[in-house]
Amino acid sequence: MQKADMVLFDTDIHNEIADQRQLLPFLPEIWHKQWMQAGTGIGMPFFSPVGVLRRDAITESGGTPGSDPSIIVKEHLDLYGFRYGLLNWGRAIEMSIHPDPDYANAIVSAHNDFMETECLTTDSRFRGSIVINHSDPAAAATEIDRMAGRHGFLQAIMCSASRMPFGQRFYHPIYEAAERNGIPIAIHPGTEGRGISGAPTPSGYPTRYMEWHNILPTNYMTHVNSLVCEGVFEKFPKLKFICIEGGISWIPHLMWRMDKNYKGLRASAPWLKGLPSEYIREHFYFTTQPIEEPDNKRHLEYLIEMGGLEDKIMYASDYPHWDFDNPQAVMRAFSPAIRGKIMGENALRLYKVGT
Amino acid sequence: MQKADMVLFDTDIHNEIADQRQLLPFLPEIWHKQWMQAGTGIGMPFFSPVGVLRRDAITESGGTPGSDPSIIVKEHLDLYGFRYGLLNWGRAIEMSIHPDPDYANAIVSAHNDFMETECLTTDSRFRGSIVINHSDPAAAATEIDRMAGRHGFLQAIMCSASRMPFGQRFYHPIYEAAERNGIPIAIHPGTEGRGISGAPTPSGYPTRYMEWHNILPTNYMTHVNSLVCEGVFEKFPKLKFICIEGGISWIPHLMWRMDKNYKGLRASAPWLKGLPSEYIREHFYFTTQPIEEPDNKRHLEYLIEMGGLEDKIMYASDYPHWDFDNPQAVMRAFSPAIRGKIMGENALRLYKVGT
């Protein structure tokens, strides 16, 4: 199906626990009642007519898609020939927008322990993300220090919905911990407008799931812009971010607008030492899912050229979500010259793992 | 400076009253005290280090740039050879985000009367926009009915900051009135995060002017997305919108993402009869300012090709704002084949005015 020497690295697989009770051994007893009765407690007013999870990924016993690692192995890693599959959790990511930071901290820690013990051990191709609660940056930093370096953990992950843009100093303890531990930070969309985050657009709430989903990347623009403008990468020069599941076609737009404004307004950001686009290219990675599919394939190539992004894009499947991207289809969207980079090499280099 | 037969049409000039007292003859007495003491009353926490208005446009007597029509004529229309100049007001646009709709309605009406009497009469090249208060749609519709058809008024204009995305039914009386009167609706950014509008990003408030200004187009994505998804153009098939001052490079991104999602999620918008990108191309116009200036000029051409936008982009100067775009410079950014369209022909066709 692909060149024998092409490494396939899936940077976004959503695993799940099969049963709320599985988390109890890793969770302080004080939280057991709330976890069993309320779960994450984060509602979702926008209803997808096709569901959010792939129906064909429901387990034989009727369990949640992603909740049986052996199915991920057989129906995903084996089927497509992935060398690595990065497990990013599903619902646990949304704990950052829970109103109670103590509960959120306990739940993410329990998921991390469960990931180490019950998931990463099941197949040598699995890698994992440390899920953190960004609404309590000191606790998130402690969690990064606790988990980073344990076998198989490659990055920290947090949801992109938040009460403040990520460049603001409130979040800097997280970045200090990530840099100290030599791991990048991945952000993941889908929590916008939920929990304690604000309205998901500058003009309030969209009406339905499709409209809401269409503009999720605007929050990535918000965070990339903030992280660069606030000088985060002068303070933490080794820090890298991964924008998962936001596509790539908005990046040249943002780069040009930021560069143009910087030329006129740089007096307000004297800590920046170069163009905003240079910081973006240096410090951000982007995943393919959902990859843009223009009718004219050259348009995708133009975008990669415009953004200078061929070393910054990484394949992601989003398994087992409804908008899953088949790696063979994604591969064909890119020119043969850069397929290898996008399907695996860029991830191998970022995460410093061998082939 | 340009081909003798090329018509230059400036679709965004910001005029201003020179003195608060000029508005009093057009304003009911009940509002005189508030207007004289508080003006629009809309604050601006984001401070531009270069100011917002061109210093070279300050009048000889030290007056606000844009407040003397004879200076706009001499230093802008005459200097660059514009055939038409569309006056869009400056501060009056922000009345839609004032908490008191009665006050806002009175202030925009007074500006419209002032525009007719004191501005449009000063030069035959001037055209005007009817400023409306979108937070009171019934009143906005009445104002459109009152002003449309009066000599020189080509469109309604309202700020893009709002409490709800513009597709929602709350706003439909405005669209009904615009369609009834055969005029398009222009939206203008710069009020995001101010007055009664919400936070200007999905993650709260940015920190400084540059960061805030960099992501203003995300609110245009919000509104374009909402107007299409809500089926506004099935309800009002002749309605056209102009997105002023938001650039163009985000449009292909939004089109692709909306089209891709529509294929999977169209069950939630059964009123749509075609791809979202088709509605965008049919019903939206975009102005150049600030035009993207990639190092590689071909990239701008690629974008226009990707979006199918050569008939939808109109030149705008943004005079007398700090980020004014010189028409000669903008013209050179486009290939000779489409310059004529962008510098004037597209506007002549949209606004149905003769050469």
Side-chain angles (χ1 to χ4, degrees), chain A residues 4-33:
Chain A
D5 60 348
M6 186 185 285
V7 174
L8 296 187
F9 194 133
D10 185 353
T11 61
D12 189 32
I13 296 172
H14 294 291
N15 62 316
E16 207 45 86
I17 53 169
D19 183 309
Q20 298 288 88
R21 287 170 295 190
Q22 288 180 306
L23 216 61
L24 298 182
F26 307 97
L27 194 63
E29 200 177 342
I30 185 76
W31 302 116
H32 284 199
K33 184 177 172 189

PDB file of all heavy atoms in Angstrom, chain A residues 4-33:
ATOM      1  N   ALA A   4       7.854   0.501   1.000  1.00  0.00           N
ATOM      2  CA  ALA A   4       8.240  -0.313   2.151  1.00  0.00           C
ATOM      3  C   ALA A   4       9.000   0.496   3.193  1.00  0.00           C
ATOM      4  O   ALA A   4       8.909   0.227   4.381  1.00  0.00           O
ATOM      5  CB  ALA A   4       9.089  -1.494   1.688  1.00  0.00           C
ATOM      6  N   ASP A   5       9.722   1.511   2.745  1.00  0.00           N
ATOM      7  CA  ASP A   5      10.534   2.263   3.703  1.00  0.00           C
ATOM      8  C   ASP A   5       9.829   3.495   4.266  1.00  0.00           C
ATOM      9  O   ASP A   5      10.423   4.272   4.980  1.00  0.00           O
ATOM     10  CB  ASP A   5      11.864   2.666   3.060  1.00  0.00           C
ATOM     11  CG  ASP A   5      11.642   3.537   1.831  1.00  0.00           C
ATOM     12  OD1 ASP A   5      10.480   3.622   1.365  1.00  0.00           O
ATOM     13  OD2 ASP A   5      12.618   4.124   1.352  1.00  0.00           O
ATOM     14  N   MET A   6       8.564   3.674   3.912  1.00  0.00           N
ATOM     15  CA  MET A   6       7.858   4.832   4.444  1.00  0.00           C
ATOM     16  C   MET A   6       7.297   4.503   5.817  1.00  0.00           C
ATOM     17  O   MET A   6       6.547   3.543   5.977  1.00  0.00           O
ATOM     18  CB  MET A   6       6.719   5.268   3.513  1.00  0.00           C
ATOM     19  CG  MET A   6       6.066   6.565   3.987  1.00  0.00           C
ATOM     20  SD  MET A   6       4.629   7.049   3.003  1.00  0.00           S
ATOM     21  CE  MET A   6       5.413   7.652   1.516  1.00  0.00           C
ATOM     22  N   VAL A   7       7.670   5.319   6.798  1.00  0.00           N
ATOM     23  CA  VAL A   7       7.171   5.119   8.147  1.00  0.00           C
ATOM     24  C   VAL A   7       5.844   5.859   8.299  1.00  0.00           C
ATOM     25  O   VAL A   7       5.749   7.041   7.983  1.00  0.00           O
ATOM     26  CB  VAL A   7       8.182   5.666   9.177  1.00  0.00           C
ATOM     27  CG1 VAL A   7       7.593   5.589  10.583  1.00  0.00           C
ATOM     28  CG2 VAL A   7       9.486   4.900   9.094  1.00  0.00           C
ATOM     29  N   LEU A   8       4.824   5.142   8.772  1.00  0.00           N
ATOM     30  CA  LEU A   8       3.534   5.782   9.042  1.00  0.00           C
ATOM     31  C   LEU A   8       3.404   6.028  10.546  1.00  0.00           C
ATOM     32  O   LEU A   8       3.518   5.101  11.347  1.00  0.00           O
ATOM     33  CB  LEU A   8       2.386   4.893   8.577  1.00  0.00           C
ATOM     34  CG  LEU A   8       2.270   4.600   7.085  1.00  0.00           C
ATOM     35  CD1 LEU A   8       0.971   3.831   6.799  1.00  0.00           C
ATOM     36  CD2 LEU A   8       2.305   5.881   6.277  1.00  0.00           C
ATOM     37  N   PHE A   9       3.180   7.283  10.891  1.00  0.00           N
ATOM     38  CA  PHE A   9       3.077   7.676  12.303  1.00  0.00           C
ATOM     39  C   PHE A   9       1.740   8.393  12.450  1.00  0.00           C
ATOM     40  O   PHE A   9       1.530   9.443  11.856  1.00  0.00           O
ATOM     41  CB  PHE A   9       4.244   8.615  12.636  1.00  0.00           C
ATOM     42  CG  PHE A   9       4.487   8.841  14.109  1.00  0.00           C
ATOM     43  CD1 PHE A   9       5.784   8.754  14.629  1.00  0.00           C
ATOM     44  CD2 PHE A   9       3.455   9.158  14.988  1.00  0.00           C
ATOM     45  CE1 PHE A   9       6.036   8.980  15.980  1.00  0.00           C
ATOM     46  CE2 PHE A   9       3.696   9.377  16.332  1.00  0.00           C
ATOM     47  CZ  PHE A   9       4.993   9.295  16.834  1.00  0.00           C
ATOM     48  N   ASP A  10       0.848   7.826  13.231  1.00  0.00           N
ATOM     49  CA  ASP A  10      -0.448   8.468  13.466  1.00  0.00           C
ATOM     50  C   ASP A  10      -0.351   9.286  14.754  1.00  0.00           C
ATOM     51  O   ASP A  10      -0.209   8.739  15.844  1.00  0.00           O
ATOM     52  CB  ASP A  10      -1.556   7.413  13.589  1.00  0.00           C
ATOM     53  CG  ASP A  10      -2.933   8.054  13.710  1.00  0.00           C
ATOM     54  OD1 ASP A  10      -3.014   9.288  13.822  1.00  0.00           O
ATOM     55  OD2 ASP A  10      -3.927   7.297  13.664  1.00  0.00           O
ATOM     56  N   THR A  11      -0.464  10.598  14.625  1.00  0.00           N
ATOM     57  CA  THR A  11      -0.248  11.477  15.781  1.00  0.00           C
ATOM     58  C   THR A  11      -1.525  11.809  16.554  1.00  0.00           C
ATOM     59  O   THR A  11      -1.489  12.624  17.469  1.00  0.00           O
ATOM     60  CB  THR A  11       0.416  12.798  15.336  1.00  0.00           C
ATOM     61  OG1 THR A  11      -0.456  13.467  14.401  1.00  0.00           O
ATOM     62  CG2 THR A  11       1.763  12.544  14.697  1.00  0.00           C
ATOM     63  N   ASP A  12      -2.640  11.191  16.174  1.00  0.00           N
ATOM     64  CA  ASP A  12      -3.873  11.507  16.922  1.00  0.00           C
ATOM     65  C   ASP A  12      -4.872  10.359  16.886  1.00  0.00           C
ATOM     66  O   ASP A  12      -5.738  10.281  16.017  1.00  0.00           O
ATOM     67  CB  ASP A  12      -4.518  12.789  16.372  1.00  0.00           C
ATOM     68  CG  ASP A  12      -5.682  13.293  17.242  1.00  0.00           C
ATOM     69  OD1 ASP A  12      -5.624  13.099  18.475  1.00  0.00           O
ATOM     70  OD2 ASP A  12      -6.621  13.883  16.693  1.00  0.00           O
ATOM     71  N   ILE A  13      -4.757   9.500  17.884  1.00  0.00           N
ATOM     72  CA  ILE A  13      -5.729   8.423  18.088  1.00  0.00           C
ATOM     73  C   ILE A  13      -6.418   8.691  19.426  1.00  0.00           C
ATOM     74  O   ILE A  13      -5.755   8.964  20.428  1.00  0.00           O
ATOM     75  CB  ILE A  13      -5.018   7.049  18.149  1.00  0.00           C
ATOM     76  CG1 ILE A  13      -4.360   6.732  16.807  1.00  0.00           C
ATOM     77  CG2 ILE A  13      -6.003   5.951  18.564  1.00  0.00           C
ATOM     78  CD1 ILE A  13      -3.472   5.493  16.845  1.00  0.00           C
ATOM     79  N   HIS A  14      -7.734   8.627  19.419  1.00  0.00           N
ATOM     80  CA  HIS A  14      -8.457   8.884  20.670  1.00  0.00           C
ATOM     81  C   HIS A  14      -8.866   7.577  21.326  1.00  0.00           C
ATOM     82  O   HIS A  14      -9.735   6.866  20.827  1.00  0.00           O
ATOM     83  CB  HIS A  14      -9.674   9.764  20.406  1.00  0.00           C
ATOM     84  CG  HIS A  14      -9.281  11.131  19.963  1.00  0.00           C
ATOM     85  ND1 HIS A  14      -8.676  12.026  20.813  1.00  0.00           N
ATOM     86  CD2 HIS A  14      -9.344  11.738  18.757  1.00  0.00           C
ATOM     87  CE1 HIS A  14      -8.406  13.131  20.150  1.00  0.00           C
ATOM     88  NE2 HIS A  14      -8.796  12.985  18.901  1.00  0.00           N
ATOM     89  N   ASN A  15      -8.219   7.283  22.424  1.00  0.00           N
ATOM     90  CA  ASN A  15      -8.621   6.111  23.192  1.00  0.00           C
ATOM     91  C   ASN A  15      -9.551   6.539  24.318  1.00  0.00           C
ATOM     92  O   ASN A  15      -9.734   7.723  24.586  1.00  0.00           O
ATOM     93  CB  ASN A  15      -7.388   5.371  23.733  1.00  0.00           C
ATOM     94  CG  ASN A  15      -6.576   6.227  24.676  1.00  0.00           C
ATOM     95  OD1 ASN A  15      -6.345   7.397  24.390  1.00  0.00           O
ATOM     96  ND2 ASN A  15      -6.167   5.643  25.790  1.00  0.00           N
ATOM     97  N   GLU A  16     -10.150   5.582  24.933  1.00  0.00           N
ATOM     98  CA  GLU A  16     -11.174   5.864  25.937  1.00  0.00           C
ATOM     99  C   GLU A  16     -11.174   4.732  26.954  1.00  0.00           C
ATOM    100  O   GLU A  16     -10.739   3.622  26.640  1.00  0.00           O
ATOM    101  CB  GLU A  16     -12.540   5.957  25.220  1.00  0.00           C
ATOM    102  CG  GLU A  16     -13.577   6.824  25.877  1.00  0.00           C
ATOM    103  CD  GLU A  16     -13.031   8.157  26.342  1.00  0.00           C
ATOM    104  OE1 GLU A  16     -12.987   9.106  25.539  1.00  0.00           O
ATOM    105  OE2 GLU A  16     -12.654   8.236  27.525  1.00  0.00           O
ATOM    106  N   ILE A  17     -11.641   5.009  28.149  1.00  0.00           N
ATOM    107  CA  ILE A  17     -11.860   3.888  29.058  1.00  0.00           C
ATOM    108  C   ILE A  17     -13.168   3.220  28.657  1.00  0.00           C
ATOM    109  O   ILE A  17     -14.052   3.854  28.073  1.00  0.00           O
ATOM    110  CB  ILE A  17     -11.888   4.331  30.540  1.00  0.00           C
ATOM    111  CG1 ILE A  17     -12.896   5.467  30.739  1.00  0.00           C
ATOM    112  CG2 ILE A  17     -10.503   4.735  31.016  1.00  0.00           C
ATOM    113  CD1 ILE A  17     -13.173   5.760  32.180  1.00  0.00           C
ATOM    114  N   ALA A  18     -13.257   1.923  28.937  1.00  0.00           N
ATOM    115  CA  ALA A  18     -14.452   1.176  28.529  1.00  0.00           C
ATOM    116  C   ALA A  18     -15.577   1.355  29.538  1.00  0.00           C
ATOM    117  O   ALA A  18     -16.756   1.303  29.198  1.00  0.00           O
ATOM    118  CB  ALA A  18     -14.121  -0.306  28.375  1.00  0.00           C
ATOM    119  N   ASP A  19     -15.211   1.579  30.786  1.00  0.00           N
ATOM    120  CA  ASP A  19     -16.194   1.588  31.877  1.00  0.00           C
ATOM    121  C   ASP A  19     -15.679   2.572  32.926  1.00  0.00           C
ATOM    122  O   ASP A  19     -14.488   2.549  33.256  1.00  0.00           O
ATOM    123  CB  ASP A  19     -16.278   0.163  32.462  1.00  0.00           C
ATOM    124  CG  ASP A  19     -17.330   0.027  33.558  1.00  0.00           C
ATOM    125  OD1 ASP A  19     -17.330   0.850  34.499  1.00  0.00           O
ATOM    126  OD2 ASP A  19     -18.137  -0.920  33.467  1.00  0.00           O
ATOM    127  N   GLN A  20     -16.559   3.426  33.423  1.00  0.00           N
ATOM    128  CA  GLN A  20     -16.134   4.430  34.412  1.00  0.00           C
ATOM    129  C   GLN A  20     -15.348   3.788  35.563  1.00  0.00           C
ATOM    130  O   GLN A  20     -14.425   4.383  36.099  1.00  0.00           O
ATOM    131  CB  GLN A  20     -17.357   5.148  35.007  1.00  0.00           C
ATOM    132  CG  GLN A  20     -18.200   5.940  34.017  1.00  0.00           C
ATOM    133  CD  GLN A  20     -17.531   7.199  33.527  1.00  0.00           C
ATOM    134  OE1 GLN A  20     -16.789   7.158  32.531  1.00  0.00           O
ATOM    135  NE2 GLN A  20     -17.754   8.299  34.197  1.00  0.00           N
ATOM    136  N   ARG A  21     -15.730   2.554  35.915  1.00  0.00           N
ATOM    137  CA  ARG A  21     -15.107   1.914  37.083  1.00  0.00           C
ATOM    138  C   ARG A  21     -13.623   1.643  36.892  1.00  0.00           C
ATOM    139  O   ARG A  21     -12.874   1.509  37.858  1.00  0.00           O
ATOM    140  CB  ARG A  21     -15.836   0.602  37.412  1.00  0.00           C
ATOM    141  CG  ARG A  21     -17.199   0.827  38.042  1.00  0.00           C
ATOM    142  CD  ARG A  21     -17.995  -0.450  38.131  1.00  0.00           C
ATOM    143  NE  ARG A  21     -18.327  -0.966  36.797  1.00  0.00           N
ATOM    144  CZ  ARG A  21     -19.175  -1.962  36.558  1.00  0.00           C
ATOM    145  NH1 ARG A  21     -19.757  -2.592  37.576  1.00  0.00           N
ATOM    146  NH2 ARG A  21     -19.442  -2.353  35.330  1.00  0.00           N
ATOM    147  N   GLN A  22     -13.180   1.569  35.611  1.00  0.00           N
ATOM    148  CA  GLN A  22     -11.764   1.298  35.363  1.00  0.00           C
ATOM    149  C   GLN A  22     -10.844   2.361  35.951  1.00  0.00           C
ATOM    150  O   GLN A  22      -9.678   2.105  36.216  1.00  0.00           O
ATOM    151  CB  GLN A  22     -11.501   1.211  33.853  1.00  0.00           C
ATOM    152  CG  GLN A  22     -12.036  -0.042  33.189  1.00  0.00           C
ATOM    153  CD  GLN A  22     -11.730  -0.037  31.700  1.00  0.00           C
ATOM    154  OE1 GLN A  22     -12.071   0.904  31.000  1.00  0.00           O
ATOM    155  NE2 GLN A  22     -11.080  -1.089  31.229  1.00  0.00           N
ATOM    156  N   LEU A  23     -11.389   3.564  36.118  1.00  0.00           N
ATOM    157  CA  LEU A  23     -10.539   4.655  36.597  1.00  0.00           C
ATOM    158  C   LEU A  23     -10.376   4.661  38.120  1.00  0.00           C
ATOM    159  O   LEU A  23      -9.443   5.277  38.647  1.00  0.00           O
ATOM    160  CB  LEU A  23     -11.130   6.000  36.143  1.00  0.00           C
ATOM    161  CG  LEU A  23     -10.140   7.098  35.756  1.00  0.00           C
ATOM    162  CD1 LEU A  23      -9.272   6.670  34.595  1.00  0.00           C
ATOM    163  CD2 LEU A  23     -10.888   8.384  35.425  1.00  0.00           C
ATOM    164  N   LEU A  24     -11.298   3.966  38.823  1.00  0.00           N
ATOM    165  CA  LEU A  24     -11.333   4.088  40.285  1.00  0.00           C
ATOM    166  C   LEU A  24     -10.020   3.707  40.981  1.00  0.00           C
ATOM    167  O   LEU A  24      -9.623   4.380  41.939  1.00  0.00           O
ATOM    168  CB  LEU A  24     -12.508   3.275  40.857  1.00  0.00           C
ATOM    169  CG  LEU A  24     -13.892   3.745  40.386  1.00  0.00           C
ATOM    170  CD1 LEU A  24     -14.990   2.906  41.057  1.00  0.00           C
ATOM    171  CD2 LEU A  24     -14.112   5.224  40.684  1.00  0.00           C
ATOM    172  N   PRO A  25      -9.312   2.670  40.534  1.00  0.00           N
ATOM    173  CA  PRO A  25      -8.062   2.338  41.226  1.00  0.00           C
ATOM    174  C   PRO A  25      -7.019   3.452  41.175  1.00  0.00           C
ATOM    175  O   PRO A  25      -6.070   3.469  41.958  1.00  0.00           O
ATOM    176  CB  PRO A  25      -7.557   1.109  40.455  1.00  0.00           C
ATOM    177  CG  PRO A  25      -8.761   0.537  39.790  1.00  0.00           C
ATOM    178  CD  PRO A  25      -9.650   1.704  39.483  1.00  0.00           C
ATOM    179  N   PHE A  26      -7.182   4.385  40.236  1.00  0.00           N
ATOM    180  CA  PHE A  26      -6.193   5.453  40.065  1.00  0.00           C
ATOM    181  C   PHE A  26      -6.675   6.801  40.612  1.00  0.00           C
ATOM    182  O   PHE A  26      -5.982   7.804  40.496  1.00  0.00           O
ATOM    183  CB  PHE A  26      -5.848   5.609  38.574  1.00  0.00           C
ATOM    184  CG  PHE A  26      -5.433   4.331  37.924  1.00  0.00           C
ATOM    185  CD1 PHE A  26      -6.335   3.564  37.195  1.00  0.00           C
ATOM    186  CD2 PHE A  26      -4.122   3.866  38.077  1.00  0.00           C
ATOM    187  CE1 PHE A  26      -5.953   2.373  36.609  1.00  0.00           C
ATOM    188  CE2 PHE A  26      -3.732   2.672  37.491  1.00  0.00           C
ATOM    189  CZ  PHE A  26      -4.646   1.921  36.759  1.00  0.00           C
ATOM    190  N   LEU A  27      -7.896   6.788  41.182  1.00  0.00           N
ATOM    191  CA  LEU A  27      -8.541   8.046  41.567  1.00  0.00           C
ATOM    192  C   LEU A  27      -8.745   8.073  43.083  1.00  0.00           C
ATOM    193  O   LEU A  27      -9.274   7.129  43.652  1.00  0.00           O
ATOM    194  CB  LEU A  27      -9.910   8.111  40.858  1.00  0.00           C
ATOM    195  CG  LEU A  27     -10.670   9.427  40.800  1.00  0.00           C
ATOM    196  CD1 LEU A  27      -9.891  10.483  40.024  1.00  0.00           C
ATOM    197  CD2 LEU A  27     -12.049   9.196  40.154  1.00  0.00           C
ATOM    198  N   PRO A  28      -8.349   9.184  43.772  1.00  0.00           N
ATOM    199  CA  PRO A  28      -8.609   9.267  45.212  1.00  0.00           C
ATOM    200  C   PRO A  28     -10.098   9.061  45.501  1.00  0.00           C
ATOM    201  O   PRO A  28     -10.962   9.530  44.748  1.00  0.00           O
ATOM    202  CB  PRO A  28      -8.168  10.694  45.557  1.00  0.00           C
ATOM    203  CG  PRO A  28      -7.156  11.037  44.515  1.00  0.00           C
ATOM    204  CD  PRO A  28      -7.619  10.343  43.265  1.00  0.00           C
ATOM    205  N   GLU A  29     -10.376   8.394  46.606  1.00  0.00           N
ATOM    206  CA  GLU A  29     -11.745   7.993  46.911  1.00  0.00           C
ATOM    207  C   GLU A  29     -12.719   9.167  47.007  1.00  0.00           C
ATOM    208  O   GLU A  29     -13.903   9.031  46.688  1.00  0.00           O
ATOM    209  CB  GLU A  29     -11.761   7.190  48.216  1.00  0.00           C
ATOM    210  CG  GLU A  29     -13.014   6.354  48.344  1.00  0.00           C
ATOM    211  CD  GLU A  29     -12.997   5.493  49.613  1.00  0.00           C
ATOM    212  OE1 GLU A  29     -11.902   5.286  50.185  1.00  0.00           O
ATOM    213  OE2 GLU A  29     -14.083   5.041  50.018  1.00  0.00           O
ATOM    214  N   ILE A  30     -12.202  10.315  47.405  1.00  0.00           N
ATOM    215  CA  ILE A  30     -13.060  11.495  47.564  1.00  0.00           C
ATOM    216  C   ILE A  30     -13.799  11.842  46.271  1.00  0.00           C
ATOM    217  O   ILE A  30     -14.882  12.422  46.279  1.00  0.00           O
ATOM    218  CB  ILE A  30     -12.206  12.702  48.049  1.00  0.00           C
ATOM    219  CG1 ILE A  30     -13.071  13.927  48.353  1.00  0.00           C
ATOM    220  CG2 ILE A  30     -11.144  13.085  47.043  1.00  0.00           C
ATOM    221  CD1 ILE A  30     -13.803  13.823  49.638  1.00  0.00           C
ATOM    222  N   TRP A  31     -13.229  11.442  45.127  1.00  0.00           N
ATOM    223  CA  TRP A  31     -13.836  11.779  43.827  1.00  0.00           C
ATOM    224  C   TRP A  31     -14.656  10.638  43.221  1.00  0.00           C
ATOM    225  O   TRP A  31     -15.245  10.804  42.147  1.00  0.00           O
ATOM    226  CB  TRP A  31     -12.751  12.195  42.826  1.00  0.00           C
ATOM    227  CG  TRP A  31     -11.926  13.359  43.275  1.00  0.00           C
ATOM    228  CD1 TRP A  31     -10.589  13.361  43.545  1.00  0.00           C
ATOM    229  CD2 TRP A  31     -12.377  14.704  43.494  1.00  0.00           C
ATOM    230  NE1 TRP A  31     -10.170  14.610  43.927  1.00  0.00           N
ATOM    231  CE2 TRP A  31     -11.254  15.456  43.905  1.00  0.00           C
ATOM    232  CE3 TRP A  31     -13.629  15.339  43.404  1.00  0.00           C
ATOM    233  CZ2 TRP A  31     -11.338  16.817  44.223  1.00  0.00           C
ATOM    234  CZ3 TRP A  31     -13.709  16.697  43.708  1.00  0.00           C
ATOM    235  CH2 TRP A  31     -12.572  17.415  44.118  1.00  0.00           C
ATOM    236  N   HIS A  32     -14.679   9.484  43.861  1.00  0.00           N
ATOM    237  CA  HIS A  32     -15.343   8.324  43.246  1.00  0.00           C
ATOM    238  C   HIS A  32     -16.810   8.583  42.942  1.00  0.00           C
ATOM    239  O   HIS A  32     -17.302   8.261  41.856  1.00  0.00           O
ATOM    240  CB  HIS A  32     -15.209   7.098  44.158  1.00  0.00           C
ATOM    241  CG  HIS A  32     -13.840   6.494  44.103  1.00  0.00           C
ATOM    242  ND1 HIS A  32     -13.565   5.210  44.513  1.00  0.00           N
ATOM    243  CD2 HIS A  32     -12.649   6.989  43.663  1.00  0.00           C
ATOM    244  CE1 HIS A  32     -12.276   4.952  44.356  1.00  0.00           C
ATOM    245  NE2 HIS A  32     -11.699   6.018  43.848  1.00  0.00           N
ATOM    246  N   LYS A  33     -17.530   9.170  43.895  1.00  0.00           N
ATOM    247  CA  LYS A  33     -18.968   9.369  43.704  1.00  0.00           C
ATOM    248  C   LYS A  33     -19.231  10.303  42.523  1.00  0.00           C
ATOM    249  O   LYS A  33     -20.064  10.029  41.648  1.00  0.00           O
ATOM    250  CB  LYS A  33     -19.579   9.943  44.996  1.00  0.00           C
ATOM    251  CG  LYS A  33     -21.079  10.105  44.946  1.00  0.00           C
ATOM    252  CD  LYS A  33     -21.599  10.601  46.301  1.00  0.00           C
ATOM    253  CE  LYS A  33     -23.076  10.953  46.220  1.00  0.00           C
ATOM    254  NZ  LYS A  33     -23.520  11.635  47.448  1.00  0.00           N
TER     255      LYS A  33
END
